[in-house]
Every structure is written in C-alpha cells, then in structure tokens.
Amino acid sequence: MSSTEIDKFIDNLEFNAKDKAVVRGAAERAEIIHSDEKRESGEPYFNHLFETVKILTSLGMGPKTLSAGFLHDSLENNKITREEIKNEFGEDILFLVDGVTKLSTLKYTGLKRHVESLRKFFMATSKDPRIIIIKLADRLHNMETLGHLPEAKQKRIALETMEIYAPLAHRLGIGKIKGRLEDLAFFYLDSANFKETREKLGKKAGENTERLDKILRSVKKALANEGITDIKTDYRVKHTYSLYKKLRKNDMDIDKIYDISSLRIIVKDTLTCYQVLGIIHSKWQPLPMKIKDYIAFPKPNGYRSLHTTVFTGDGGFVEIQIRTEEMHNEAEYGLASHISYKEGKSARSKNEDYKVEWLRKLAESQKDISRSDEFLKSLRNDFFDQRIFVFTPKGDVIELPAEASPLDFAYAIHSDIGDHTFAVKVNSKMVSLDSKLLSGDVVEIQTRKGSKPSRRWLEFAKTTFAKKKIRASLIRGYKNK
Ligand code: MN
C-alpha cells in the first residue's frame, strides 16, 4: 500500500480538515502497529484495515467510525493499550475499537440451538450500531479474502457468516452487505449449487440486459407523457444465494422466477410512487398476486417499496420496484443510513444517543409486524441489561440472567455437571463459585465424582433451574444418609 493512495483516499472524504486529520492519524498509527504483520495471502496486514475502511466509507460512515475501522484489530496484538487509544484518539473511538474487539469472542461452531443466542450476544455486546457496522465491514472483507485460509477454517467462517452475520445485516436492513455476505458464504459452503445457480443466472442475464434497456426506455417515455421526468432508474440482478433459495422452491426451474432482474424507479415522494404504479399498470398488464405494497406494509426489517410484475409484451415479465430516494437508501444501507451522517455533524456525539435512537427506530419500523420474533422483541425492552452471554471452552454460547454465577452456567450445560462441580475457571483463571459472570466470559467447569452441592450453593445460584436442581440433589443427599 503506498501512502499516497491512503492520502488520496482521505483527501477525497467529505469531512472537514480536522476530521480528516483524525482519520489520517488513525491510518498512520494502524500502519505502524501492524507493520510487521502479514495476512494469510502474504499482503501487509494494513491492507485489511484499509479495505474495511473503504467498505465503511461506501456505507457513508463518519470520521470516528472510519478511525475505529483503521484501529479495529489494534488491541488484539497488544501493541497499543486502551489508555493510549483514549489519549490519542478520544473516548468515542476507544469505545468503538473496544466494542469490536469484544465481539471477537463470538464463535459459531454449527449448533443450531445456539444461533439465536449468538445473534443476541452480538447485539448485546455491540451496544452501539457503529460497532456492528464496523464488524460487518470487517467480516465482508474477511469473506472476500477467505480463499487464502485452510479449508476447514473457510467452512467454519462461511457457516458463521451465513448463520450469524448475514441474518444480522438483514435484520438491520443493510441489504447491500447482506447479499454479498450470503453469496460469499454460499460459494464456500455449497460450491456445486453455487456454480449451478450462477450458470443458470448467466444465461438469463445475457438475454436480459438488452430487453431491460428496451423496457426501461418505454417506461420512461410513458412516465414522461404524464409529466413525471424527475426520476432515477437502474436494474438489479438477484443475488446468487437468494436466487438459489427461490429456485429450490420452484423445482430449480429458472423460468418460474419472475424477479431475477428488476427495474428500479426512484422518485421524489411517496405520492409519485403510487402515480408511477398506476401509469405502469395502465400500460402493461400486471400479474395478479405479484403486486406488493411494502410502503403501506413495510417488511419486518423496515424495507419499503412498491413491487409489481408486468407482462412486457415480448412473451416475458419484468419486476418493477418503485420507491423514493429515502426508501432506496434505507433498503441499501438500513441502520447505517440513519446514523452515518450524524457523526460528522454533532460535536457531542454521545454514544448513548445512538443507542437509544437506533433501537427506537428499529422498534418503530417493526411494531405490529413481528410480535413473534424473539430477537426483535429483545431489542425493544431492557432485555440486554438483564441478560449475559457466556461461552464454553468450545465456543458454545449460554444465555443467562445478569449476575449469574458459574453454578448457573454448570447447570445450564447439564444437571450432572452442575451436581459435580468442583472448581471453575473463567477466562483461564480460577474463580470462586460465588463469582459473577460477565458477557463474553469463557467458563470452564471442572467436575469431580465425589463433589456434591452444598446448602450455600442456593445463595450463589441465580436461575430457578439451578436452584431447583440443587434442592433436588440436597434432598437426595439427605435420603441417602
Ligand atoms: Mn479485522
């Protein structure tokens, strides 16, 4: 990486001189910190940081988030301390770097029952949406360079991406990242189906481009005739993985899929969306059951748009998506679109403000739609202040109430393990049975055959389940005497 390339990149950012200086400082510091590290590909480690920051920039993130992006792996190798980051870059940037670092305990090994807990752990640990966005950008670049890792590692990371990161990006409405993460993970998890889907898509897309151009021209003309000229248009081709999922539901027959590519029409306001829909329907026959009003009824992740599929007169169909600029940005950037611009503007960007505001936004966009979604429900109340997420040495996650003890953990794994708990290590250090676990702790229970619950354990245990088991075991003990 030449330093002129970084200089140029930073010069081009739409920040004031002071903010640019902060980002430049973080870039320079990161380059020094990681100067003797290489990635698996043999490239300098710094490239990964720079690429992560480029993704963050494409999401429109502000100077603090970009600086934290440069520094996101800096605490891992102990070449800079928290104190130093705080002194050099301020509390906000430290908060972000620290948050991203904490998320590195997250490790998904494929146990389905842990999926939801891991997603919650991710949210609980993040606290600030910018931390999630940095982590998603980091993951996206790691997925883009996954080819350099050994196969077993590729599979594990791809699975984690498919099960944890892509669904989170989806739930936070960041469509732009979700689709790319899924496609990359799909390639590593199921390359045969990936290739087959790509081939099918390739054939269709070839036929399509010319056709779409033609349709687009006549749509524009029809709209202009009605005085609607202030529009933007483009196409989108369906992502490989989402096409594959649809193919599976349709006998793998690509001719049954009507939205392989869609036309997008972006207009200035909601009223115009409906006008455009009307004009299109008066000119082209729509397919029944394919008209979707996601403006009146947004999707659970907040997605808004009008969709319709129309006969094009050449024997085919095309899906048309109609939306405002604001809806379009939300669909592509989701959560990021709500927060990105604020960082630059507000001098006193209190982390707390972000947290409250984005949770409120999420809750708002999702009310009434997804009552059954436990994940979203958990976002709405003070759930995260009351729950912790701890790990077994293998990386399985266990969800417990705040202030739970190692005994609660032991019983949550298995009552037999609980009953024979002898000693406990938290993060490789011995601790007492009455200590309090914290989110992210790795807990190892040592058992001994002769170990038995004592009455005092009832004081340490926090969960009803552990208490019940301890009582049962104490009663058995009395009977045996
Ligand atoms: Mn990284």
Side-chain angles (χ1 to χ4, degrees):
M1 187 74 40
S2 71
S3 51
T4 40
E5 194 186 338
I6 301 158
D7 275 339
K8 223 178 180 176
F9 171 80
I10 293 171
D11 285 339
N12 283 333
L13 294 170
E14 287 170 12
F15 302 154
N16 63 37
K18 216 176 130 203
D19 285 340
K20 279 184 191 175
V22 175
V23 178
R24 203 182 305 273
E28 281 165 5
R29 196 68 160 90
E31 216 172 357
I32 295 166
I33 289 170
H34 299 280
S35 60
D36 42 12
E37 283 169 74
K38 293 229 178 323
R39 300 208 89 212
E40 298 284 343
S41 60
E43 290 177 285
Y45 196 88
F46 182 78
N47 289 13
H48 164 63
L49 306 168
F50 192 24
E51 292 305 318
T52 303
V53 169
K54 283 183 192 163
I55 296 168
L56 290 171
T57 308
S58 79
L59 293 170
M61 302 309 289
K64 285 179 182 162
T65 310
L66 297 197
S67 303
F70 275 121
L71 295 166
H72 83 264
D73 284 325
S74 69
L75 286 172
E76 301 257 354
N77 67 0
N78 295 321
K79 287 203 181 147
I80 191 166
T81 63
R82 291 185 163 75
E83 204 54 32
E84 286 170 318
I85 295 185
K86 192 172 140 188
N87 292 339
E88 290 171 42
F89 301 101
E91 219 158 322
D92 271 8
I93 292 174
L94 170 64
F95 173 81
L96 297 175
V97 174
D98 217 17
V100 178
T101 310
K102 279 187 189 134
L103 279 176
S104 49
T105 22
L106 185 137
K107 206 170 167 198
Y108 177 63
T109 47
L111 267 179
K112 279 281 174 210
R113 68 193 162 96
H114 290 316
V115 169
E116 201 56 15
S117 294
L118 271 175
R119 289 180 194 146
K120 284 189 211 154
F121 165 76
F122 194 102
M123 298 299 291
T125 312
S126 300
K127 298 252 168 49
D128 183 306
R130 293 173 297 174
I131 293 172
I132 302 180
I133 291 165
I134 296 169
K135 195 66 196 169
L136 288 172
D138 170 50
R139 176 51 61 114
L140 180 56
H141 183 248
N142 283 333
M143 285 304 294
E144 280 167 355
T145 51
L146 199 61
H148 300 284
L149 296 188
E151 209 185 312
K153 230 174 167 184
Q154 288 177 350
K155 285 260 182 332
R156 192 192 70 72
I157 293 172
L159 184 65
E160 192 177 84
T161 301
M162 195 62 117
E163 297 285 4
I164 312 286
Y165 288 85
L168 276 169
H170 175 61
R171 278 160 151 163
L172 302 175
I174 314 178
K176 206 176 150 118
I177 292 208
K178 176 232 174 194
R180 283 161 77 192
L181 284 177
E182 274 185 351
D183 281 3
L184 287 159
F186 183 34
F187 172 80
Y188 288 100
L189 292 173
D190 185 356
S191 63
N193 278 312
F194 179 90
K195 276 177 202 143
E196 194 190 325
T197 309
R198 266 296 161 89
E199 265 161 37
K200 287 187 182 188
L201 184 64
K203 273 182 210 146
K204 274 278 163 189
E207 300 168 18
N208 259 342
T209 328
E210 212 178 308
R211 231 186 106 228
L212 286 173
D213 265 328
K214 224 171 109 191
I215 299 165
L216 193 54
R217 275 198 302 274
S218 36
V219 167
K220 273 188 184 163
K221 212 173 125 197
L223 295 181
N225 284 342
E226 303 295 328
I228 299 174
T229 49
D230 186 11
I231 57 167
K232 280 187 207 158
T233 54
D234 69 7
Y235 331 124
R236 77 114 182 82
V237 177
K238 215 171 178 55
H239 276 106
T240 313
Y241 184 65
S242 83
L243 175 61
Y244 170 68
K245 280 196 294 187
K246 253 202 169 153
L247 280 170
R248 256 193 345 200
K249 281 191 226 153
N250 290 280
D251 319 309
M252 295 306 280
D253 182 357
I254 200 159
D255 292 321
K256 288 186 183 162
I257 308 214
Y258 299 138
D259 64 344
I260 299 164
S261 34
S262 343
L263 232 61
R264 274 191 190 137
I265 301 172
I266 297 160
V267 300
K268 63 180 196 323
D269 55 30
T270 307
L271 184 62
T272 318
C273 292
Y274 289 102
Q275 278 176 333
V276 168
L277 183 73
I279 295 164
I280 288 171
H281 282 178
S282 68
K283 198 156 175 340
W284 293 277
Q285 175 71 27
L287 258 77
M289 314 304 289
K290 289 276 174 196
I291 305 164
K292 303 267 165 64
D293 185 347
Y294 296 121
I295 294 179
F297 303 99
K299 285 191 183 180
N301 68 356
Y303 176 84
R304 290 180 299 160
S305 197
L306 299 174
H307 289 193
T308 184
T309 304
V310 297
F311 289 92
T312 44
D314 56 3
F317 313 92
V318 70
E319 184 188 75
I320 301 178
Q321 304 177 346
I322 308 156
R323 51 175 78 157
T324 65
E325 189 91 45
E326 192 196 345
M327 292 172 198
H328 183 63
N329 284 334
E330 276 181 15
E332 297 279 297
Y333 305 108
L335 177 66
S337 73
H338 291 299
I339 58 159
S340 53
Y341 70 97
K342 291 197 186 88
E343 197 180 75
K345 278 186 191 165
S346 114
R348 34 139 229 118
S349 78
K350 269 270 196 260
N351 296 317
E352 216 38 44
D353 293 349
Y354 283 107
K355 186 182 171 192
V356 172
E357 202 189 323
W358 77 278
L359 286 177
R360 187 178 57 74
K361 275 246 153 80
L362 268 177
E364 248 172 31
S365 64
Q366 284 149 3
K367 64 184 165 210
D368 302 333
I369 297 167
S370 48
R371 260 183 237 281
S372 59
D373 190 325
E374 208 208 319
F375 176 81
L376 293 175
K377 229 191 277 172
S378 67
L379 284 178
R380 265 178 229 151
N381 45 40
D382 48 359
F383 175 87
F384 289 131
D385 297 331
Q386 298 161 15
R387 307 296 288 176
I388 57 164
F389 301 84
V390 293
F391 294 84
T392 69
K394 279 187 188 154
D396 291 336
V397 70
I398 307 286
E399 185 183 331
L400 293 168
E403 307 211 312
S405 71
L407 285 171
D408 295 299
F409 174 86
Y411 279 102
I413 294 180
H414 198 283
S415 47
D416 223 35
I417 292 182
D419 279 346
H420 295 103
T421 298
F422 170 71
V424 187
K425 276 185 181 174
V426 170
N427 305 325
S428 311
K429 286 196 192 94
M430 299 295 279
V431 302
S432 62
L433 291 184
D434 64 342
S435 48
K436 286 175 178 141
L437 300 177
L438 295 172
S439 253
D441 281 347
V442 178
V443 187
E444 190 182 340
I445 302 288
Q446 298 176 351
T447 56
R448 225 176 235 188
K449 243 194 193 150
S451 266
K452 281 197 296 256
S454 79
R455 205 141 250 300
R456 290 209 39 186
W457 283 18
L458 288 170
E459 293 163 30
F460 312 152
K462 177 109 184 165
T463 57
T464 324
F465 180 76
K467 283 185 177 162
K468 202 175 102 192
K469 291 288 172 183
I470 294 168
R471 269 191 214 106
S473 176
L474 288 170
I475 290 167
R476 275 200 310 277
Y478 297 138
K479 279 184 187 157
N480 289 344
K481 264 180 197 160

